[in-house]
Amino acid sequence: MNTADLGLPVDVPSTALFTDQYELTMLQAALKAGTAHRRSVFEVFTRRLPHGRRYGVVAGTGRVLDAVENFRFDPAVLGFLRERSIVDEATLEWLADYRFTGDVWGYPEGEVYFPGSPIMRVEGTFAECVLLETVILSILNHDSAIAAAASRMSSAAGDRPLIEMGARRTHELAAVAAARAAYVGGFSSTSDLAAGFRYGIPTVGTSAHAFTLLHDDERGAFRAQVDSMGHGTTLLVDTYDVAEAVRTAVEVAGTGLGAVRIDSGDLLLVAHRVRQQLDELGATGTRIIVTSDLDEYAIASLAAAPVDAYGVGTQLVTGSGHPTCSMVYKLVARAGSADPGAPLVPVAKRSTGGKTSIGGRKWAARRTDAVGVAEAEVIGTGAVPRALADDQLLVELIKGGQVIAREPLDVVRERHVVARGRLPLSATQLSRGEPVIPTEYAVGG
């Protein structure tokens, strides 16, 4: 069963209250003023990447599609709004029949993005689009931050697999979303069973220090685990003395022991010592897995170490220092009346302080050089230049309120590998730098 294709709802009655109150009060005022049904275009973008990052990763798109489908004002939700007098009865009546009937375009999930990229474009009436601001931003900001950190870590890890182990370091529902985003960014598996159930991500896990401490000695703990899980299991060897634990592990499981895990100490030094010891004991095929507060820099520092896999928790689920992408959801065009045929008028915020935006319904394309390496992110309004017609990035996700682009996570994961591989080589450098390609604007009529 491919659960990624099922479109399962989140574990709440409705996503409708994943909403800031001002979205509903704006709706009420617009309904009263007669402007609520003007055709409108909102876009999601970020003005800058997190400091020092060279590219961003689009993640959470599939979850946005689920959230839009599940955005319903059921009787319990309407009762809450009525009890708090958040909006008037006319607005409550309108909300009772709410269904998003517009169109959504966006960068395919797993694609990379840059400052100004129109990551998602939401089109419909002002009333139906404005309500989706918070839920869309909360999903994309969180998941894209995790995926960007995961991408940097997977790049640093090379061919060595990465295990997502951050469930205990974040909110229980955020942990599921983080595992999904990490898989998009290049992680191979997760320890979180809810993520495995919900999204079909491979799950792994064997034992913690508590299991060793439960037994009278380390040998007894290892024997119990091997008897239960087989010789291919992973034994945790740093509860007491690492060298003694490795010796005992091979004695108990034999030279066919699957792996040992190291969770503390100088990982570079300990990994070399453990590899040497395992080889001397004849366990040349036993893998070494390291955990312990890893981030992309620690992973890179272990590139020359005899490490076979990494387990990452805290730094991953917190975006490795950047837990949000600072994406915004802005009205960029709207009609002058409720007439469905009324032309769109570009609109934009003009305030100072770095929060200006560019009006108009955008297209986006990535210009490449002769060998297919990205040169620039080109964003424009009006007609798409013929030279960029085949390089456009936005795809249709929802058409007339119906999801048309749901896809399995493995497709998304592979897309990210391809997208990252088409960037200049400097994209994978961990040192601080500017976006790896510039953003260019081609604003037309």
Side-chain angles (χ1 to χ4, degrees), residues 113-138:
Y113 71 87
F114 298 92
S117 296
I119 295 162
M120 187 168 286
R121 189 174 71 220
V122 182
E123 305 183 26
T125 67
F126 177 85
E128 62 182 342
C129 295
V130 74
L131 295 180
L132 299 176
E133 175 182 2
T134 299
V135 69
I136 288 176
L137 287 179
S138 65

Side-chain angles (χ1 to χ4, degrees), residues 25 75 100 193 226 233 239 246 358 362:
T25 53
F100 180 74
L193 289 176
V226 170
T233 191
T239 305
V246 170
I358 297 174
K362 314 292 191 310

Side-chain angles (χ1 to χ4, degrees), residues 103-106 394-400 404-405:
D103 303 329
V104 177
W105 292 70
L394 288 138
V395 298
E396 197 164 19
L397 304 170
I398 297 177
K399 182 179 180 65
I404 62 172

Side-chain angles (χ1 to χ4, degrees), residues 373-393:
V373 176
E375 286 185 330
E377 192 87 340
V378 185
I379 299 165
T381 59
V384 180
R386 183 175 301 176
L388 296 174
D390 295 332
D391 299 314
Q392 294 187 72
L393 292 162

Side-chain angles (χ1 to χ4, degrees), residues 11 63 142-143 146 163-183 187 189-199 201 203 312-314 316-318 409:
D11 294 329
R63 295 209 307 121
H142 174 269
D143 289 24
I146 306 305
I163 307 164
E164 186 280 314
M165 304 172 63
R168 64 192 61 194
R169 302 295 188 226
T170 188
H171 183 279
E172 65 272 17
L173 292 181
V176 181
R180 182 187 183 281
Y183 193 67
F187 274 58
S189 56
T190 178
S191 65
D192 190 80
L193 289 176
F197 173 76
R198 174 65 178 81
Y199 296 115
I201 301 170
T203 57
V312 189
T314 303
L316 175 66
V317 299
T318 56
L409 269 182

Side-chain angles (χ1 to χ4, degrees), residues 85 104 125 131 146 177 182 205 207 220 238 257 306 313 330 333 343 353 418 427 432 437 444:
S85 299
V104 177
T125 67
L131 295 180
I146 306 305
S207 68
D238 71 329
L257 172 63
K330 296 298 181 184
V418 173
R432 295 185 185 277
I437 60 172

